[in-house]
Amino acid sequence: MNKLLTISPSPHQHTDDSVRKIMYRVLLALVPALIWSVIYFGMDAVRVTLLAVLSCVAFEYLIQRFVMKVQTTVTDGSAALTGLLLAFNVPSNLPWWIILMGSFFAIAIAKLSFGGLGGNIFNPALVGRVFLLISFPAQMTTWPVSRMAETDAVTAATPLGILKGGVLSGRPLQELSGNLPGIDNLLLGNMGGSLGEISAALLILGGIYLLWKKIITWQIPVSILLTMAVYAGIFWLINPEKYIDPLFHILAGGAILGAIYMATDMVTSPMTGKAQLIYGIGIGIITMTIRLFGAYPEGVSFAILIMNGFTPLLNSMIKPKRFGGKQP
Amino acid sequence: MLKTFKLGGVHPPENKLSADSEIVELPLSPTVFIPVGQHIGAPATAVVKKGDQVKTGQLIARSSGFVSANVHSSVSGTVTKVDLVPDSGGYPRVGVVIKVEGDDWDDQIDTSPDLKSEISLTGPEIIEKIKEAGIVGMGGATFPTHVKLVPPRGMKFEMLLINGVECEPFLTSDNRLMIEKSDEIVVGTRLLMKAMGVDKAFIGIENNKPEAIRKMEKAVNGISGISVVPLKVKYPQGGEKQLIKAVTGREVSSGALPVSVGCLVSNVGSAFAVYEAVQKNKPLFERVVTVTGKSLRNPSNVKVRIGTPVSDLILFAGGVPEDTGKIISGGPMMGKALATSDVPVTKGTSGIVLIPEKQAARKPQLACIRCSRCTNACPMGLEPFLLMTLSENSLWERLEKEMVLDCIECGSCSFSCPASRPLLDYIRYAKAKVGQLVRSRKH
Ligand code: SF4
Ligand code: SF4
């Protein structure tokens, strides 16, 4: 034997899972919902998605290569995922330059200036989205009509938008309900909204896949949705004239997309199950408070970002159970 | 529901390639090199010198302290030198080199193959025999068994746990021993029970070894106080604290010994050695070693004399495959990578695993994405990602508070990290540093 052997400390065996596999699996989980969006909104959805994904990847590569002068990490799939999630959170008729600004903000400000993947405190795609919502409120809330709709209108309203507008003008719920989609349409995704948030059923399908692959835990989505349901349910029971039922709140808008794909982002969510429950409950409460009493019809993005900010605190306060009964 | 431990744990691919290969005896090598320190504690003192003639089983180094163990010659022949020779890690260690001539066993040793199940000695006499025979923990821990058998003052044993878990991937020597020597292991268990003064023993075996479970259940049939406990497969169930938790539900608290919950854990290999030592007068000078690897021609379980070069063992199993990139002494989770195969088999060598080049090198390390897999994998409930970061920043006091010393170095954290972070490397370093800190405080 005169060959050199590798010497390294144990363990000598490693999982064949990798950061890249995790990212690509999340991308895969989002594909069914994306396909539905393309069917529903047409080629516009393809345009927005491609632009967001490619620009995020390109920004990450260019900034790491030429500005930060570090090894690029574009192949890990996280930039592509940020791009896809950003696309999912904007209207499919958004002008190209606004998308580019969103991508730049998400990658350069929310991710790389914090040190890149793993260093960021806030979910980059959501930071990008909220930045656009504040800077371009008109474009970000003008929703395209479905390709399949039999109407001459060029813009549609989201179910939550209809609700908010109606409630603000003081009309009773009964009068509005004719304009609101039913549960079946909400589930299938036959409603106005952001590019990827419309089909609850397909998003849940992807979520089951992620649960199975142990990429997300049940704690975050379940606690968010359950909290929202309880919150909305209380008001609905008290005054069904004014407040709509909890199922509507869960299925309309971005709750499913946010709960399964955005709030569960590993980097920005807490680590122990208990902390994840608290985090999810927090998101649920903030979301419903904004929806019922705030100025915006939708509040999931803000709620997740706020709770992202609490994640480091939750991580340091809630420790996993130690073996042997002593806790640090 | 099968029993197992609760917190953490991982499922590395089992790869028990040699599970069905019967134990075979390795032909004697021309020379052996027997280190005098094969155990935890003070190395033994050599009692032979160059030119001495020794017999198989003759004492060649005497225990030199409270925690130490005797060492015996594994062959007969002439001592050619007592000198420093590199050990498995490449460090020079004192050892006895013997040129093998024939195989002349010490006359005291009963070489008949019959089972001797009658126990005639008292507890203290058994412990004395175990001490004389130089028996140590053979699962890899190598702590002298006779020291473990005497509880610290004020403490009492309630039960004995026999560790037949063999949770390391690839290794099968304990499995084979349980299949082929089940009656002897049960006698060894009874001897240990008598030495400890307890009347209860449990033999924990993971249920990926159905034949071993069957054989052991048959062997304990009709013997009061001993039962076999099949366990659900999960690494690191062979860890002392994990096994106690799995079998009894008791948790040894941070920093405490198993005796604090009334338990003593002994490996099946040690139980077999105890049988041979007490009933057959045979000191510990040979053991079963698994030689295995995916590219190896004949993955086998081999009965080897202590001091035999690992290279001879590999040769016997088909020679070093072309693609070998790493040779591990022990299992792939906790074993040690060897710098060369010219090192001796010792009392703690449970296996030799040859890893192909492709899997030998580590993958480049990425940033932590806080996926919590390391935390979920840790059987001690620690936060490996945090311990690594603290270690990188030399925050030893913080690390002590985070209970870094509880880490059993099982490697589950590094194993499960998708970012290929060398968590355990940093944690080991932190343990050494914090250990120093704690000791310096005592003075
Ligand atoms: S090596 Fe230590 S820190 Fe890592 S999983 Fe095992 S006990 Fe936990
Ligand atoms: S397993 Fe690796 S990436 Fe995941 S939290 Fe632990 S150190 Fe970070």
Side-chain angles (χ1 to χ4, degrees):
Chain A
M1 267 272 322
N2 42 21
K3 194 163 51 171
L4 280 181
L5 294 171
T6 305
I7 305 183
S8 56
S10 64
H12 307 285
Q13 202 170 6
H14 295 90
T15 169
D16 50 15
D17 220 346
S18 63
V19 172
R20 187 181 307 189
K21 270 194 195 163
I22 291 175
M23 296 300 165
Y24 285 120
R25 281 187 176 139
V26 183
L27 286 169
L28 186 66
L30 289 165
V31 166
L34 179 63
I35 291 174
W36 171 250
S37 299
V38 173
I39 295 171
Y40 194 75
F41 293 119
M43 287 315 283
D44 257 358
V46 178
R47 178 187 64 93
V48 172
T49 306
L50 275 181
L51 195 58
V53 170
L54 293 178
S55 59
C56 279
V57 171
F59 282 135
E60 177 150 310
Y61 178 78
L62 294 173
I63 293 170
Q64 285 184 325
R65 180 80 202 274
F66 297 107
V67 183
M68 300 168 74
K69 302 206 180 359
V70 293
Q71 175 106 30
T72 70
T73 52
V74 275
T75 52
D76 68 14
S78 65
L81 181 57
T82 298
L84 187 60
L85 286 173
L86 181 67
F88 267 47
N89 275 288
V90 298
S92 58
N93 56 357
L94 201 64
W96 63 269
W97 53 275
I98 296 187
I99 299 172
L100 285 191
M101 288 185 73
S103 297
F104 182 78
F105 206 80
I107 294 294
I109 312 288
K111 185 175 174 190
L112 295 181
S113 69
F114 281 91
L117 181 67
N120 52 305
I121 299 174
F122 301 102
N123 186 318
L126 281 182
V127 173
R129 172 182 191 238
V130 167
F131 162 74
L132 294 182
L133 192 63
I134 294 168
S135 316
F136 308 99
Q139 289 91 332
M140 282 291 286
T141 50
T142 308
W143 315 94
V145 246
S146 165
R147 228 161 44 86
M148 298 180 288
E150 291 154 9
T151 165
D152 297 333
V154 273
T155 62
T158 66
L160 288 173
I162 299 171
L163 191 66
K164 191 96 203 176
V167 171
L168 286 180
S169 60
R171 286 155 68 198
L173 204 52
Q174 266 163 322
E175 231 173 86
L176 298 170
S177 55
N179 300 330
L180 292 174
I183 294 299
D184 49 345
N185 282 331
L186 288 176
L187 210 55
L188 288 174
N190 190 7
M191 63 173 174
S194 293
L195 190 153
E197 73 184 14
I198 52 176
S199 173
L202 294 176
L203 288 171
I204 291 171
L205 186 75
I208 292 170
Y209 168 73
L210 293 182
L211 265 180
W212 173 51
K213 287 287 173 195
K214 295 207 165 72
I215 290 170
I216 63 171
T217 59
W218 63 268
Q219 278 92 342
I220 295 175
V222 169
S223 60
I224 293 177
L225 298 174
L226 215 60
T227 308
M228 286 179 62
V230 170
Y231 195 130
I234 293 172
F235 282 90
W236 176 57
L237 287 175
I238 294 173
N239 189 355
E241 297 279 291
K242 191 166 167 217
Y243 298 102
I244 202 158
D245 62 286
L247 199 58
F248 181 88
H249 270 296
I250 286 179
L251 295 177
I256 299 279
L257 177 64
I260 298 178
Y261 299 91
M262 318 289 291
T264 52
D265 169 37
M266 289 169 172
V267 176
T268 55
S269 63
M271 299 183 70
T272 60
K274 226 189 274 170
Q276 289 177 348
L277 287 177
I278 298 174
Y279 166 87
I281 292 170
I283 292 174
I285 292 176
I286 300 170
T287 303
M288 285 313 299
T289 309
I290 295 174
R291 280 191 184 182
L292 296 186
F293 310 107
Y296 287 98
E298 175 59 298
V300 182
S301 306
F302 292 108
I304 294 174
L305 286 175
I306 291 170
M307 289 311 289
N308 282 168
F310 281 102
T311 295
L313 186 68
L314 285 171
N315 277 340
S316 67
M317 274 173 34
I318 300 171
K319 297 270 179 188
K321 192 184 162 309
R322 299 285 201 246
F323 185 97
K326 257 189 255 169
Q327 289 296 114
Chain B
M1 262 295 276
L2 282 173
K3 289 184 172 182
T4 186
F5 62 100
K6 289 235 166 48
L7 229 49
V10 290
H11 296 276
E14 293 174 18
N15 285 319
K16 304 270 190 187
L17 310 173
S18 49
D20 298 324
S21 324
E22 275 179 35
I23 299 171
V24 285
E25 202 158 335
L26 186 76
L28 293 179
S29 298
T31 36
V32 295
F33 161 54
I34 307 176
V36 296
Q38 302 179 34
H39 45 265
I40 288 183
T45 318
V47 293
V48 290
K49 55 184 190 314
K50 186 175 169 181
D52 283 1
Q53 291 287 320
V54 292
K55 282 187 172 182
T56 308
Q58 184 182 327
L59 183 77
I60 52 172
R62 192 182 302 283
S63 158
S64 69
F66 179 62
V67 181
S68 184
N70 286 342
V71 178
H72 301 80
S73 177
S74 60
V75 293
S76 60
T78 315
V79 176
T80 54
K81 82 183 164 174
V82 181
D83 201 1
L84 294 176
V85 182
D87 75 348
S88 56
Y91 295 105
R93 298 258 192 243
V94 179
V96 179
V97 184
I98 302 168
K99 185 163 161 280
V100 181
E101 292 147 3
D103 193 13
D104 181 14
W105 287 41
D106 194 299
D107 333 316
Q108 312 260 310
I109 303 170
D110 172 1
T111 50
S112 72
D114 321 330
L115 179 76
K116 192 172 164 223
S117 52
E118 206 174 303
I119 298 174
S120 52
L121 300 184
T122 64
E125 284 168 347
I126 294 172
I127 296 180
E128 194 48 41
K129 275 270 184 207
I130 291 173
K131 185 177 173 188
E132 266 171 37
I135 296 174
V136 301
M138 289 170 74
T142 66
F143 191 81
T145 302
H146 67 273
V147 183
K148 232 161 81 163
L149 281 169
V150 182
R153 205 178 316 216
M155 291 192 170
K156 251 189 84 183
F157 290 122
E158 286 171 54
M159 64 184 95
L160 166 68
L161 304 186
I162 296 291
N163 187 349
V165 169
E166 203 164 50
C167 58
E168 274 274 9
F170 285 100
L171 302 190
T172 56
S173 52
D174 288 350
N175 175 45
R176 288 317 302 180
L177 207 56
M178 289 189 283
I179 292 169
E180 296 174 33
K181 302 284 177 201
S182 40
D183 290 320
E184 288 83 350
I185 292 170
V186 171
V187 178
T189 305
R190 285 169 50 218
L191 289 164
L192 286 167
M193 286 162 73
K194 187 153 184 195
M196 292 160 66
V198 300
D199 51 16
K200 243 190 332 193
F202 299 96
I203 303 172
I205 309 171
E206 284 191 343
N207 77 334
N208 58 355
K209 301 182 245 312
E211 199 184 346
I213 294 178
R214 239 186 351 261
K215 282 277 165 58
M216 291 306 297
E217 265 170 352
K218 207 170 130 230
V220 300
N221 192 12
I223 293 170
S224 75
I226 309 182
S227 45
V228 173
V229 185
L231 300 166
K232 203 169 131 190
V233 176
K234 186 156 84 166
Y235 179 87
Q237 195 139 238
E240 235 174 18
K241 293 185 173 184
Q242 279 63 40
L243 183 66
I244 294 172
K245 174 75 181 174
V247 173
T248 69
R250 300 179 184 185
E251 270 186 27
V252 180
S253 54
S254 173
L257 289 171
V259 65
S260 66
V261 293
C263 296
L264 183 140
V265 181
S266 187
N267 170 270
V268 285
S270 307
F272 179 68
V274 166
Y275 164 79
E276 290 199 316
V278 181
Q279 305 295 77
K280 300 276 182 181
N281 244 331
K282 183 181 159 204
L284 177 55
F285 60 75
E286 57 182 356
R287 66 158 298 148
V288 182
V289 179
T290 303
V291 197
T292 180
K294 282 201 178 143
S295 313
L296 195 64
R297 188 141 12 101
N298 307 311
S300 348
N301 301 292
V302 191
K303 191 155 112 187
V304 198
R305 302 290 171 88
I306 302 295
T308 303
V310 165
S311 49
D312 286 0
L313 201 59
I314 300 174
L315 214 57
F316 180 77
V320 178
E322 204 35 50
D323 66 353
T324 301
K326 199 188 242 182
I327 300 178
I328 303 167
S329 165
M333 293 300 283
M334 290 184 77
K336 222 164 122 187
L338 298 179
T340 149
S341 58
D342 296 326
V343 296
V345 168
T346 62
K347 294 176 186 176
T349 310
S350 47
I352 298 293
V353 185
L354 289 92
I355 303 279
E357 220 148 3
K358 270 199 229 101
Q359 286 141 41
R362 290 182 172 181
K363 281 188 251 166
Q365 155 190 355
L366 305 172
C368 170
I369 56 166
R370 264 162 279 141
C371 66
S372 42
R373 294 191 179 175
C374 55
T375 312
N376 292 338
C378 180
M380 299 308 292
L382 304 171
E383 294 165 286
F385 75 98
L386 177 67
L387 300 180
M388 173 166 168
T389 311
L390 294 175
S391 178
E392 280 175 311
N393 293 299
S394 309
L395 298 168
W396 315 125
E397 257 122 38
R398 237 337 263 300
L399 279 155
E400 189 188 356
K401 276 207 203 80
E402 291 290 343
M403 304 160 79
V404 71
L405 292 178
D406 274 8
C407 167
I408 58 170
E409 303 188 23
C410 67
S412 300
C413 48
S414 301
F415 169 82
S416 50
C417 180
S420 311
R421 294 178 72 72
L423 296 154
L424 182 50
D425 294 4
Y426 281 89
I427 294 172
R428 256 197 215 105
Y429 184 58
K431 281 180 72 177
K433 283 287 183 187
V434 173
Q436 270 173 21
L437 198 73
V438 172
R439 276 194 301 276
S440 73
R441 228 178 271 142
K442 276 188 192 146
H443 298 313

